[in-house]
Amino acid sequence: MTTARHDRGDSWHGELLDLDAYLERLGHTGERAPNLACLRALHRAHTTSIPFENVSAVLGVPLPLDVESVQDKLVRRARGGYCYEHVTLFAAALEKLGFRFTAHTGRVSLGADKILPATHALLTVTPSDDDRTWLCDVGFGGGPLEPVELADGAEAEADGWRFRMERRPDAQGFEHWWLHQYGAGGWLDRHTFTLTPQYPIDYEVGSHFVGTHPRSPFVKRLIAQRFSAARHHQIDGLTWSTTLPDGTRTEQKIEPEDLQRVLREEFGIDLDPGVVSRLTAARSDAP
């Protein structure tokens, strides 16, 4: 008689991940161990191999976060996804490799002076050979290339991309962490988060808002990103921007008839012509 496994809701179901296929998608041929060197290699490979995109949300297509669905989309079909999909996939891989980690949600700020919803997914990880905890932010779309140490004032630089951590209490003394990124205008706060643990069900709730709520920018227009050591490409609607590690930024408009080619050649996102037509005709210019 087989006893069904009781899922308490805190598992990321790494046992369901096809680890070989995931690592092949990343081009990772190095060691498979829960240590810092492997974590750095996986983080860099994930952020530079799997693009960020919200095509399904714009088209009103369901965005399930179970491991099978996420790996089918991001690994087998070589598509991209937004933060909840990226982090769910990365968490399953870390769990299968034996890493100790905690999931969190953050508030994207980008210099805003108001409180924005906590809709960003991220992880903190403690490798087996290192007592420090590291922020892994593989789902933002714009780096960092490698983990950033979770320590007040810690700075990380990789291939010219610079990030800094800050620990800041709020008015009630509750501890908040801030990730800053260095660009053309100096340091900019990118997002803030607390160390309150989150679980798969929490990500399902957050993803439902991001992927379906009419006030979410992710249902209004195409957003795609491709990050590498050399540059960060981003499409917002039909505007294509490229940012270099020093913050230098260029911008150009994409003609609707060129969108399919640009997504395929520059972002690694291969979509059917009919899907691209729906993206450009329906919501590419939504506010």
Side-chain angles (χ1 to χ4, degrees), residues 26 32 75 106 117 122 183 210 257 285:
L26 268 54
R32 303 182 181 189
V75 176
L122 47 95
V210 173
E257 61 268 23
D285 294 320

Side-chain angles (χ1 to χ4, degrees), residues 69-95:
S69 297
V70 172
Q71 72 175 335
D72 179 65
K73 181 184 177 188
L74 275 64
V75 176
R76 298 193 185 105
R77 293 191 283 132
R79 281 277 302 279
Y82 61 17
C83 66
Y84 290 107
E85 297 170 287
H86 278 272
V87 175
T88 294
L89 183 63
F90 197 66
L94 295 186
E95 187 177 83

